[in-house]
Amino acid sequence: MNQAELHRILALKSQENKDSLDLDVLYNRRLSANISLIKTHFFSLYQEVEHKDYFFKLLDQIALLFKARPTELKNQDLERLNSGNWYQSEKMVGMQLYVDRFNKDINGLKEKLPYFQDLGINFLHLMPITTRPTGENDGGYAVNSYHEIDGKYGTKKDFLDFAKKARENNMFLMLDFVVNHTSDEFEWAEKAKKGSLHHQNYYYTYADRHIPDEFEKTLPEIFPQSAPGNFTYNEEMEKWVMTCFNTYQWDLNYRNPEVFIEMLGNLMSLANLGVDVIRFDALAFLWKKLGTLSQNLPEAHTLISLFRMCLQVIAPGVILLAEAIVAPRNIIKYFGEGISEGNECEIAYNASLMALLWNSIATKKASLMLKSLTEIPNKPNDGTWINYIRCHDDIGLGYDDDFVRAMGSDPTAHKQFILNYYTGRLEWSPAKGLMFMYNPKNGDGRITGSAASLLGLETALELKNKIIIDYAISKILMMHGIILTYGGIPMIYAGDEIATLNDYSYEQNQDHVNDNRWVNRPIQNWDVVASLNKTKENPSTIVYNGLKNMIRLRKEHVLFKDSNEVKIHGCPNEHVFVYERTYKNDSVWVLSNFNELTETLDIGWLLSIGIHAGKNSIDLLTQETFNLIHNALPLKPFQQLWIKNI
């Protein structure tokens, strides 16, 4: 039992005792339930002898933050507790978007609520909308404020009105909490630059290069091309400051307990805007230690759990998403281990599945995906994944090298092949992507590009080749079909639902030209949306209607909720990926052919995993039964089936 389940029990017992309306009573019970863990975590990070006063400051801060939470949201917190793990529901289907690029501003976004409802979207991840520096700002991830809305998007009132409208329409909202760093224009940074030693201690600042040089011996470079190194000299302070991401993003010093207490306040300011899920950005980097990579350290996990234990007391209806794009075995840890099991983040990005899907497209085989997903430990029952094929960021190739070797490949050569496949270095590849942040020191690199262009649609349209156009469309739908049926919340990237191609206009934008991730950050094409269904053979129409059908089917079948009921079957055909979703006595098998040739599965094997082949089962996607050929089930190139016995 994790702490969330304990709070749920306490809330239900309070209702039985007729004191459920006393929000303060329930707050005190949550505090009593969590205070021992809060104390343990706090003093494991900050020695008790020196920091006892800060612990009492933290308790005072928690009380003040609860008092400041709007009553409407406090009541919603209790509803969420009573509803159980609402975020694991089969009804959850998300979309990630930039507000300004989707439809100008917050009010423009509100106008498009019917569009989301038509497609079946009820969970929105809005990219950063708070104030940021003019010019380069890492797409808003260099924050000047954690809760003030940038004027280009509207006002705070606009957002509060939008959040209320979203709640009325049973739509959930997610915003980013940039927890690792601020911009160099943030109020603490400005005070530090003016000579405040107190605020210089909110960051990692050094008068000379001695300690920075020691850090550099082991710290990797996040952006080796545009921001090499991990420290920047600030002339106003006459000091070096740690800047692991960009020169204008200053890493916060969580070794200082004041930073944690202040950031908890910033977290709640964001939550009080009416946000349901808070995405902890770059949380793997939170704790820095000499002689290490300063990523995924035990102290970082303790810090995240401390945030969550405090948040549960103040606002138990708000949950956390771990933005940890790390090695497969490390991702699981962000749900919590040991005394923190189930007590870190409720949600994490399934970056492993994402990378493995792109690997399977390039290799035309599901072998590495099968091995990787079956050998990674299960997540806790109360956690869930964000499953996605594309996001605003680059695609990192986070494969486990041991698994690649086990498949008979050299990890370095394999990664180079994948990079070459997607970035135009293989003449036969239909993919049109770009290389992002290639590091010649180790041959590492990442990939940018829209899903449709990476899956060959841009090339196919240029060639006017109907066959490879159909292949590209099938790949787009197959990839989305997997994230819609695999355990977790599917997150569609805005524009992918209408098969948007690469946007090369970033090359003419002075603020974007040095960051080719903007090639997959397009402006939503509402002319294309308006023309949907006018031309049935249009790729945008086929993809939109295909996704709409799959989303509807997902919501109609409770077995697609995330209860860890995903059984991956070791398919004898290396090109086909097969898994089964079950609920009580009901099952659906999802079969995906990653090859450009028709592949077959023997009836004997299908029967062995429970499929009643032939006329005794149907494909939910088409509502058609199957015709076996020579006692085998054929799967066309890039075809996907959702099989249900009848």
Side-chain angles (χ1 to χ4, degrees):
M1 178 188 297
N2 65 2
Q3 294 301 107
E5 181 64 21
L6 180 58
H7 296 313
R8 190 171 301 126
I9 292 170
L10 290 173
L12 290 172
K13 284 190 175 295
S14 295
Q15 291 178 49
E16 292 171 4
N17 296 329
K18 309 298 183 184
D19 60 356
S20 61
L21 297 180
D22 193 332
L23 298 172
D24 290 334
V25 168
L26 290 172
Y27 160 78
N28 285 319
R29 289 181 179 176
R30 292 195 300 272
L31 180 61
S32 297
N34 275 23
I35 194 167
S36 62
L37 279 174
I38 291 172
K39 177 175 178 286
T40 298
H41 288 336
F42 189 86
F43 287 128
S44 72
L45 295 171
Y46 312 110
Q47 289 188 355
E48 185 170 357
V49 174
E50 300 175 28
H51 300 103
K52 184 180 290 186
D53 289 345
Y54 286 106
F55 179 69
F56 291 110
K57 286 183 181 179
L58 173 60
L59 295 183
D60 290 341
Q61 173 82 313
I62 290 171
L64 289 171
L65 293 173
F66 174 73
K67 186 176 180 180
R69 185 152 171 81
T71 300
E72 180 184 357
L73 296 181
K74 288 180 181 178
N75 288 324
Q76 179 178 271
D77 289 335
L78 297 185
E79 292 173 9
R80 294 277 167 79
L81 275 178
N82 291 339
S83 66
N85 295 341
W86 52 271
Y87 48 90
Q88 294 182 321
S89 170
E90 74 281 0
K91 307 293 186 186
M92 296 288 288
V93 181
M95 178 174 282
Q96 180 190 27
L97 57 89
Y98 284 92
V99 171
D100 55 330
R101 302 181 80 77
F102 192 76
N103 198 34
K104 299 179 182 177
D105 56 21
I106 293 166
N107 288 328
L109 183 63
K110 186 161 63 174
E111 292 173 5
K112 297 301 180 182
L113 285 175
Y115 177 74
F116 300 122
Q117 291 165 340
D118 180 70
L119 183 58
I121 301 297
N122 64 348
F123 175 39
L124 295 179
H125 174 200
L126 310 183
M127 303 301 289
I129 55 173
T130 55
T131 55
R132 76 287 307 274
T134 56
E136 286 189 309
N137 53 56
D138 193 21
Y141 285 94
V143 292
N144 286 359
S145 169
Y146 286 97
H147 54 87
E148 294 299 329
I149 305 299
D150 193 293
K152 69 183 286 188
Y153 302 105
T155 65
K156 183 176 283 190
K157 182 181 183 302
D158 290 336
F159 186 81
L160 291 171
D161 290 345
F162 171 72
K164 184 176 182 181
K165 185 74 171 177
R167 286 196 296 277
E168 291 171 355
N169 286 273
N170 298 313
M171 183 167 285
F172 301 89
L173 298 179
M174 177 163 73
L175 290 183
D176 288 83
F177 185 52
V178 186
V179 67
N180 178 69
H181 46 260
T182 73
S183 80
D184 58 0
E185 295 180 8
F186 193 78
E187 59 176 323
W188 301 339
E190 292 289 0
K191 291 176 181 178
K193 286 187 284 188
K194 290 176 181 176
S196 169
L197 295 177
H198 180 78
H199 290 93
Q200 287 177 13
N201 197 36
Y202 278 34
Y203 303 95
Y204 292 89
T205 59
Y206 303 97
D208 58 41
R209 284 290 309 187
H210 176 66
I211 294 179
D213 286 344
E214 288 299 310
F215 268 115
E216 293 286 17
K217 290 178 181 178
T218 54
L219 285 180
E221 293 177 317
I222 308 302
F223 299 130
Q225 291 178 330
S226 60
N230 291 279
F231 288 86
T232 299
Y233 187 73
N234 183 267
E235 293 185 357
E236 286 184 71
M237 285 194 303
E238 296 183 334
K239 288 185 176 181
W240 293 90
V241 60
M242 182 179 283
T243 54
C244 288
F245 284 78
N246 287 292
T247 58
Y248 49 83
Q249 291 168 302
W250 290 16
D251 286 58
L252 288 164
N253 176 17
Y254 280 100
R255 290 178 176 273
N256 179 351
E258 283 190 75
V259 172
F260 172 77
I261 294 170
E262 293 269 17
M263 287 297 285
L264 181 63
N266 286 323
L267 173 64
M268 282 310 305
S269 294
L270 189 64
N272 288 344
L273 294 176
V275 179
D276 306 291
V277 183
I278 292 179
R279 177 184 182 269
F280 262 38
D281 179 67
L283 78 176
F285 300 83
L286 290 183
W287 200 266
K288 312 300 194 295
K289 184 185 290 186
L290 285 169
T292 73
L293 296 175
S294 293
Q295 294 182 30
N296 307 304
L297 293 178
E299 294 89 346
H301 287 282
T302 301
L303 190 64
I304 297 160
S305 186
L306 181 58
F307 268 116
R308 186 183 176 197
M309 292 301 95
C310 294
L311 181 63
Q312 278 185 348
V313 174
I314 305 163
V318 179
I319 62 174
L320 302 180
L321 163 67
E323 191 262 336
I325 313 303
V326 295
R329 290 186 177 94
N330 285 328
I331 292 176
I332 290 290
K333 296 178 181 179
Y334 285 92
F335 292 110
E337 292 184 309
I339 64 169
S340 295
E341 183 174 347
N343 289 324
E344 276 191 46
C345 295
E346 288 89 343
I347 314 177
Y349 281 112
N350 200 346
S352 298
L353 177 64
M354 180 273 298
L356 290 163
L357 285 170
W358 290 107
N359 179 83
S360 294
I361 289 290
T363 63
K364 303 180 178 64
K365 297 177 182 178
S367 311
L368 182 60
M369 183 155 57
L370 172 65
K371 183 169 185 62
S372 298
L373 295 179
T374 53
E375 296 196 18
I376 295 172
N378 280 335
K379 61 175 177 55
N381 288 333
D382 292 306
T384 197
W385 296 112
I386 290 282
N387 293 320
Y388 65 111
I389 67 169
R390 201 69 201 83
C391 70
H392 71 291
D393 225 332
D394 53 275
I395 296 173
L397 306 180
Y399 313 126
D400 189 307
D401 286 351
D402 290 339
F403 293 158
V404 175
R405 291 189 190 95
M407 303 307 299
S409 297
D410 173 72
T412 302
H414 182 78
K415 184 175 290 187
Q416 195 61 54
F417 165 74
I418 301 297
L419 290 172
N420 290 343
Y421 177 89
Y422 285 111
T423 60
R425 299 184 181 189
L426 297 177
E427 187 176 341
W428 53 268
S429 170
K432 274 209 169 184
L434 302 173
M435 183 78 77
F436 181 69
M437 291 297 157
Y438 182 73
N439 190 340
K441 296 177 184 177
N442 57 16
D444 197 13
R446 283 109 79 187
I447 301 159
T448 59
S450 76
S453 291
L454 290 172
L455 293 171
L457 184 59
E458 185 174 341
T459 296
L461 291 172
E462 289 174 356
L463 296 174
K464 298 180 181 179
N465 186 313
K466 178 69 165 58
I467 293 175
I468 58 176
I469 288 173
D470 289 344
Y471 282 177
I473 292 171
S474 295
K475 284 186 276 188
I476 293 169
L477 291 174
M478 179 181 70
M479 295 273 274
H480 281 95
I482 290 174
I483 66 168
L484 281 159
T485 54
Y486 203 80
I489 303 171
M491 183 68 75
I492 298 167
Y493 185 59
D496 286 351
E497 81 281 9
I498 53 173
T500 302
L501 304 179
N502 285 343
D503 180 3
Y504 299 104
S505 65
Y506 80 95
E507 295 172 338
Q508 281 73 53
N509 186 317
Q510 187 175 354
D511 294 333
H512 298 164
V513 67
N514 293 320
D515 185 350
N516 67 27
R517 289 176 297 178
W518 287 98
V519 77
N520 50 258
R521 298 172 180 176
I523 294 174
Q524 185 80 352
N525 192 328
W526 292 106
D527 290 336
V528 169
V529 173
S531 67
L532 291 175
N533 296 319
K534 291 181 180 178
T535 307
K536 296 294 185 181
E537 297 303 312
N538 184 285
S540 297
T541 299
I542 298 170
V543 169
Y544 184 88
N545 288 335
L547 283 177
K548 184 175 177 178
N549 182 46
M550 288 191 285
I551 291 170
R552 176 185 60 81
L553 289 168
R554 170 188 165 87
K555 293 186 176 186
E556 288 176 355
H557 291 80
V558 69
L559 57 76
F560 289 127
K561 74 175 184 177
D562 186 13
S563 53
N564 271 1
E565 296 293 337
V566 179
K567 183 176 182 180
I568 299 173
H569 292 286
C571 184
N573 187 321
E574 65 180 357
H575 302 287
V576 182
F577 184 53
V578 180
Y579 56 90
E580 179 182 354
R581 299 301 312 277
T582 60
Y583 180 73
K584 296 183 178 178
N585 296 321
D586 202 11
S587 289
V588 169
W589 292 262
V590 179
L591 284 61
S592 304
N593 177 16
F594 280 88
N595 202 4
E596 59 193 4
L597 302 175
T598 296
E599 297 292 338
T600 59
L601 295 175
D602 181 75
I603 187 173
W605 185 78
L606 295 173
L607 290 170
S608 74
I609 64 170
I611 295 176
H612 300 165
K615 302 294 183 181
N616 296 315
S617 57
I618 62 167
D619 174 19
L620 290 177
L621 294 172
T622 62
Q623 295 298 308
E624 295 177 354
T625 57
F626 304 108
N627 291 316
L628 299 180
I629 300 176
H630 303 302
N631 285 325
L633 172 65
L635 283 90
K636 297 175 184 176
F638 309 112
Q639 184 180 12
Q640 185 175 79
L641 303 174
W642 297 11
I643 298 179
K644 181 179 174 63
N645 290 334
I646 54 176

